[in-house]
């Protein structure tokens, strides 16, 4: 069993140093960074029903998009092109 989480620095630097989506075994060990190649802010990670993928939202030029990545690492797939982000971040 694994835990998906966001790994990054202080929130006040999130616009300049985006965090990564990571997974780690509940028993500990080295985390696997799933979005290291994606130079965008990611948030709202959710597991797929099968537990094989992690869904997340990322922002690109004020547009949010839904994406998926295999929990074991691999290619990030954009699932929905997104909508303009609101000024309040929602």
């Amino acid at each position: 069993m694994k835990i998906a989480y966001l790994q990054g620095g202080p929130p006040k630097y999130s616009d300049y140093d985006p965090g990564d989506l990571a997974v780690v075994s509940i028993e500990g060990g080295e985390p696997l960074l799933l979005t290291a190649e994606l130079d965008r802010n990611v948030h709202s990670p959710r597991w797929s029903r099968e537990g094989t993928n992690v869904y997340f939202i990322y922002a690109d030029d004020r547009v949010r998009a839904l994406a998926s990545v295999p929990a074991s690492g691999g290619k990030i797939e954009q699932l929905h092109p997104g909508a303009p982000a609101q000024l309040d971040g929602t």
Side-chain angles (χ1 to χ4, degrees):
M1 185 174 266
K2 295 182 179 182
I3 298 170
Y5 67 98
L6 299 177
Q7 178 177 306
K12 67 181 182 179
Y13 299 124
S14 65
D15 288 339
Y16 307 102
D17 186 19
D20 289 308
L21 174 59
V23 292
V24 66
S25 169
I26 62 170
E27 296 161 358
E30 285 295 312
L32 174 62
L33 301 180
L34 301 177
T35 58
E37 77 213 38
L38 183 64
D39 186 22
R40 300 290 178 255
N41 282 319
V42 299
H43 60 90
S44 304
R46 301 288 186 271
W47 285 99
S48 66
R49 288 182 192 240
E50 307 81 23
T52 56
N53 292 310
V54 181
Y55 301 114
F56 63 95
I57 296 173
Y58 71 95
D60 185 12
D61 194 24
R62 297 180 308 238
V63 174
R64 294 176 296 172
L66 176 64
S68 174
V69 64
S72 59
K75 183 180 177 200
I76 296 170
E77 179 182 0
Q78 182 177 330
L79 302 174
H80 191 275
Q86 302 298 315
L87 293 177
D88 65 0
T90 60

